[in-house]
């Protein structure tokens, strides 16, 4: 049977299910699909290509003969499972933070640096959600004008915390509708009716892990090890779709119209920047592309642009 | 009878009621209080100093003999009512956008530029909500290190649109809880479960009116007519308390600890910046002070600080 033997660890989560959908949508040649999860979700049966596939507890033998193994699990689980997979000869594609900054591990946004895949040694890492949408719109500006520095403020949905985050927001909304106080378990305080500038843990410099990832991952993906990238990452009470506000100073002057043209021509990016419009969430729902809007020249700041992004 | 004769136009709105509360809390010497509103709210009776005061439709004679008239109404209404008040010899304190940038009208944040009051000619304007919290933390940095440029991203509550905004978010939350689609009237699209980078109308440069106010008002209040101030202003699904993420480049080097000391010593500002903490909304609720946290040095960017603010 032609095709690839594929495993998905974390198959029952939001990302795991999306991987299955994308494999089906894009008619990826799958000869066999193995679905893996923790004890909690094992035994479920998920549909794929007209069959029902039972979810198993991940164990080393599950990666025997696997060509491609996707890991849509947390950082701790990836640290345990990814080495199992590569020991069996699989190529691991990991969405967690476990291996992103490791030497020899390509950190890839296909439209931006697919060339980095050439050097992989078994693990390919996928960047953090907000990093992806940021580098997708920075790359076309880098190519034509160079980058001097970047400032990102994020408006991140609870879907970034997986199903647990979505369940927590939903439960807090229901509590508030019933006149009860919202209770926080996953987040450090209620997220319903609130914004929380605390994603991942705080470092000694005052930046959170999420903000630090924006710096280190952007530098690695764009191959600019000294690029200054400052970020404020904020969780907002929105179920899905992250947004970022980005300010960028380029090395060479570039007008807003020229920036719009370059960004609009970049694969995977959709420019939604008609005068007087902004990105409506209905435009973003269910799309793979990164939407970029409101590209504008910062008043009084040479070579500096602002823009909105949403995915 | 000693004290001031005070009028409040827009008395039944969120801001109008808060003005009454603050007058009472601070035992402001009021000899007579006149409450004014539109036809819709006239006839209501509001309690003040142990009495019930009937709300009247604002007319020129209502300002006869008034010392201080507060205007907590929209821009269009202020354009009509404020001239009535000053024609009768009252000093008008206006929260709207109508006169903020007019020559001869002081735009005042008391802790920052109360000296500007000296030049008033009948109208004193109050800045936009997000501008106030921004200049309150910029002023101490300006005083010790100068300002090169400022970048602000906001997370603005629907209370900024007054009761209408709060009612709309509440109605949309109830619709969603009942499984119905949220309907937008005031905002261009639903605000529940969404973020909207569209506050006030778009200008030809791609910036919204709200973002433009951040530029022009900050320049006027700080008396720095050329200061570059770039902003992305975003409405978030939060009932009250605005937050901003601010990046500032100073002219002279300043360390995060020195910045914290200067900000913490500034009147009206409370520094909440213990390592590993962030500003909890419970800390902000019902307080007059501006809370500042997470003052940090931007990685790789000389003289550049980031911080979170909330009010």
């Amino acid at each position: 049977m032609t095709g690839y033997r594929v495993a998905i660890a974390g198959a029952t989560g939001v990302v795991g299910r999306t991987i299955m959908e994308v494999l089906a949508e894009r008619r990826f040649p799958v000869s066999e699909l193995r679905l893996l999860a923790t004890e909690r979700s094992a035994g479920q049966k998920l549909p794929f290509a007209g069959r029902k596939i039972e979810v198993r507890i991940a164990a080393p033998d599950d990666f025997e003969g696997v060509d491609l193994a996707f890991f849509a699990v947390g950082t701790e689980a990836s640290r345990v499972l990814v080495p199992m997979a590569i020991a069996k000869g699989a190529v691991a594609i990991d969405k967690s933070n476990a291996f992103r900054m490791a030497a020899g591990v390509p950190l890839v946004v296909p439209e931006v640096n697919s060339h980095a895949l050439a050097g992989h040694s078994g693990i390919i890492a996928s960047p953090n959600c907000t990093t992806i949408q940021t580098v997708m719109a920075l790359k076309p500006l880098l190519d034509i004008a160079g980058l001097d520095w970047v400032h990102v403020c994020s408006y991140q949905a609870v879907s970034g915390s997986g199903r647990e985050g979505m369940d927590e927001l939903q439960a807090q909304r229901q509590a508030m509708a019933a006149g009860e106080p919202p209770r926080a378990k996953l987040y450090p305080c209620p997220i319903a009716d609130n914004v929380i500038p605390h994603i991942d843990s705080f470092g000694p410099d005052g930046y959170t892990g999420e903000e630090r990832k924006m710096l280190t991952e952007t530098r690695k993906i764009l191959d600019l090890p000294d690029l200054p990238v400052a970020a404020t990452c904020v969780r907002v009470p929105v179920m899905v779709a992250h947004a970022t506000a980005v300010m960028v100073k380029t090395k060479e002057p570039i007008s807003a119209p020229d920036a719009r043209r370059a960004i609009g021509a970049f694969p995977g990016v959709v420019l939604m920047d008609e005068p007087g419009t902004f990105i409506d969430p209905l435009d973003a729902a269910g799309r793979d592309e990164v939407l970029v809007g409101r590209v504008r020249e910062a008043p009084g700041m040479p070579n500096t642009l602002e823009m909105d992004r949403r995915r």
Side-chain angles (χ1 to χ4, degrees), chain A:
Chain A
M1 193 173 169
T2 58
Y4 296 90
R5 277 173 292 194
V6 174
I8 301 176
T12 59
V14 177
V15 176
R17 285 171 193 259
T18 305
I19 293 170
M20 288 175 68
E21 282 170 23
V22 173
L23 288 175
E25 259 175 41
R26 303 198 173 178
R27 302 174 187 277
F28 189 82
V30 177
S31 64
E32 185 190 342
L33 183 65
R34 299 182 193 170
L35 302 182
L36 309 172
T38 58
E39 208 169 359
R40 201 177 42 166
S41 307
Q44 288 185 36
K45 289 185 176 181
L46 300 180
F48 184 77
R51 296 187 303 122
K52 290 266 186 184
I53 302 177
E54 185 169 331
V55 178
R56 294 202 303 247
I57 302 174
D61 283 351
D62 291 313
F63 298 105
E64 193 74 58
V66 163
D67 300 303
L68 272 178
F70 292 93
F71 292 85
V73 296
T75 299
E76 292 309 311
S78 277
R79 283 208 183 99
V80 175
L81 296 175
V82 167
M84 283 184 196
I86 58 173
K88 299 286 184 182
V91 171
I93 299 176
D94 183 29
K95 84 151 192 68
S96 87
N97 190 35
F99 303 98
R100 284 179 191 154
M101 298 310 298
V105 173
L107 181 64
V108 176
V109 177
E111 295 86 348
V112 174
N113 66 334
S114 55
H115 58 85
L117 288 169
H120 86 81
S121 50
I123 308 176
I124 294 158
S126 182
N128 198 28
C129 42
T130 44
T131 307
I132 295 173
Q133 59 176 286
T134 301
V135 295
M136 290 275 282
L138 289 178
K139 183 63 163 76
L141 300 181
L142 167 62
D143 288 345
I144 60 173
L147 298 180
D148 199 350
W149 53 256
V150 180
H151 184 215
V152 182
C153 292
S154 76
Y155 301 74
Q156 299 185 222
V158 295
S159 61
S161 315
R163 180 148 312 140
E164 238 185 315
M166 298 168 78
D167 287 347
E168 179 144 324
L169 175 56
Q170 186 60 22
Q172 291 178 1
R173 284 178 176 171
Q174 285 167 348
M176 287 170 61
E180 289 160 20
R183 254 195 298 255
K185 285 190 301 188
L186 178 66
Y187 299 120
C189 57
I191 179 64
D193 202 47
N194 197 13
V195 299
I196 308 179
H198 177 4
I199 307 180
D200 206 334
S201 54
F202 286 107
D205 58 0
Y207 283 91
T208 60
E210 188 81 354
E211 292 161 352
R212 176 65 49 185
K213 285 175 211 163
M214 187 73 83
L215 170 72
T216 55
E217 295 180 12
T218 300
R219 286 176 168 178
K220 180 167 177 173
I221 296 163
L222 297 179
D223 199 16
L224 295 171
D226 301 315
L227 180 70
V229 180
T232 296
C233 289
V234 180
R235 188 78 68 195
V236 294
V238 167
M239 208 50 90
V240 290
H242 293 343
T244 54
V246 180
M247 179 175 239
V248 52
K249 184 169 187 199
T250 53
K251 289 199 181 294
E252 306 295 327
I254 177 171
S255 70
D258 285 348
R260 278 185 209 114
R261 258 190 296 279
I263 291 168
F266 197 74
V269 174
V270 175
L271 185 74
M272 306 195 69
D273 200 7
E274 289 301 304
T277 66
F278 64 102
I279 303 171
D280 189 294
L282 296 176
D283 297 325
R287 292 181 73 155
D288 289 342
E289 296 95 344
V290 173
L291 308 184
V292 178
R294 299 217 300 142
V295 179
R296 52 210 198 274
E297 295 166 24
M301 300 178 70
N303 302 4
T304 309
L305 300 168
E306 280 197 278
M307 67 190 82
D308 299 345
R309 288 168 216 185
R310 190 147 193 163
R311 190 187 200 176

